[in-house]
Amino acid sequence: MKFALIPVKDLSRAKERLSSILSQPERTALAYAMLEDVLRAMKGSSFLDRIFVVTLDENAIELAKSMDVEIIREIKQEGESASVDYASKICKNMGAQSVLVIPGDAPLITYEDVDFILEKEKPYTSVILVPARDEMGTNAILRKPPDVIPSRFGYDSFKKHINELRKKNIPYEVYNLPRIALDIDEPTDLVLFSSIRSYTRAYEELIKIGYIKDL
C-alpha cells in the first residue's frame, strides 16, 4: 500500500521569512491556501491508498477533514523530522509499504507530479527524492519501507538524506520536478510564484490580500 504524509506546523506563526512583505494574518492565510493546493493534488492521485496530515494545528485538521483527508494528531511538535518519522511508523503499522512525504507549501504541485513519483517506485528497498529549487531542501521523499532512513529535514536536508542513503548503501533516484521544487519560504520564492498566473488557492489568496494585482 502507498501512503502520503503532509507534515503541518502551527500555521498561526507561519512563514516568518516573508514578514518583510506580508503580515502574520496574511502569511497564515497563504499557508492554509497552499496546504489546500497540496491536499487537492494528493486527492487527485491515481496511486495513493491513503493520505494523512500530521499536525496539531486545529485549523489544518478541520481543512483536512473537509477534504476527506485523514489525520495523525500530534500532542506536541519537536520539528518536522520528528513529526514525519512519528507518522511514518504509524503508517507502517497500518500496512504502508511506502510513504511519500510532501511539504504543505508547494502550491504548484499537481496530481501528475504525485503519480510520476509513485510510478517510479521500485519493487525493492529504495528511495526517491525531489530537491527544492535551491537543491538544499527536500521537497518530496518516497521511502520504501517508510522507515528505511531517518528524516533529516531542515537546513541542507537534500544532502543529508543522500548521505544517509549512501551510508546504508540504499539505492535511490533523484528527479527535478519544477512544480514541486518551488516551495514558498523566501520573498524571492513568492516573487517567482506570483510572476506566472496559476489556478491555485495560493494565487487567489495573494490576489485577495492585494499582493498580486488582478488584471
Side-chain angles (χ1 to χ4, degrees):
M1 294 179 72
K2 304 176 194 292
F3 287 18
L5 279 178
I6 302 95
V8 179
K9 301 175 184 177
D10 176 1
L11 297 185
S12 67
R13 299 190 297 274
K15 301 299 171 186
E16 292 181 355
R17 283 177 280 179
L18 299 177
S19 60
S20 62
I21 48 178
L22 297 177
S23 68
Q24 184 60 76
E26 291 170 340
R27 300 197 305 272
T28 295
L30 176 61
Y32 285 118
M34 291 192 292
L35 176 60
E36 184 175 338
D37 287 325
V38 173
L39 294 179
R40 198 178 307 280
M42 293 296 197
K43 290 284 291 182
S45 170
S46 302
F47 298 106
L48 286 172
D49 295 293
R50 298 178 75 173
I51 306 165
F52 291 89
V53 166
V54 54
T55 190
L56 50 64
D57 184 300
E58 290 297 333
N59 290 322
I61 288 170
E62 290 307 310
L63 173 60
K65 286 181 177 179
S66 74
M67 298 179 70
D68 293 321
V69 172
E70 297 181 84
I71 308 298
I72 295 176
R73 186 186 290 266
E74 296 180 282
I75 298 172
K76 61 179 180 178
Q77 286 187 333
E78 299 177 344
E80 185 175 2
S81 293
S83 295
V84 169
D85 288 349
Y86 164 73
S88 293
K89 289 178 181 177
I90 292 174
C91 289
K92 186 177 181 180
N93 289 338
M94 290 179 175
Q97 295 169 313
S98 62
V99 169
L100 172 63
V101 180
I102 299 278
D105 59 356
L108 291 177
I109 186 175
T110 66
Y111 73 87
E112 291 98 337
D113 296 318
V114 177
D115 285 351
F116 176 88
I117 296 170
L118 294 169
E119 283 184 298
K120 299 296 182 183
E121 181 180 316
K122 303 296 182 287
Y124 47 81
T125 296
S126 58
V127 171
I128 293 173
L129 298 151
V130 178
R133 193 165 57 96
D134 60 7
E135 296 194 347
M136 295 186 70
T138 305
N139 279 18
I141 182 168
L142 175 66
R143 290 183 282 197
K144 183 177 184 176
D147 56 357
V148 64
I149 59 166
S151 295
R152 293 287 182 256
F153 294 106
Y155 180 77
D156 211 12
S157 68
F158 181 59
K159 185 185 295 182
K160 290 176 181 176
H161 282 133
I162 287 178
N163 287 341
E164 287 284 347
L165 291 162
R166 289 175 175 169
K167 184 168 63 178
K168 294 186 175 183
N169 199 30
I170 295 166
Y172 69 92
E173 293 178 344
V174 175
Y175 294 94
N176 290 290
L177 302 177
R179 289 187 293 256
I180 294 181
L182 180 57
D183 56 335
I184 299 180
D185 281 320
E186 306 282 351
T188 53
D189 302 326
L190 197 59
V191 170
L192 180 58
F193 173 77
S194 303
S195 66
I196 301 174
R197 171 78 196 192
S198 65
Y199 296 97
T200 60
R201 278 283 297 112
Y203 195 94
E204 290 174 4
E205 189 61 41
L206 289 170
I207 292 174
K208 181 179 176 182
I209 65 182
Y211 179 80
I212 295 174
K213 306 304 179 186
D214 193 20
L215 300 178

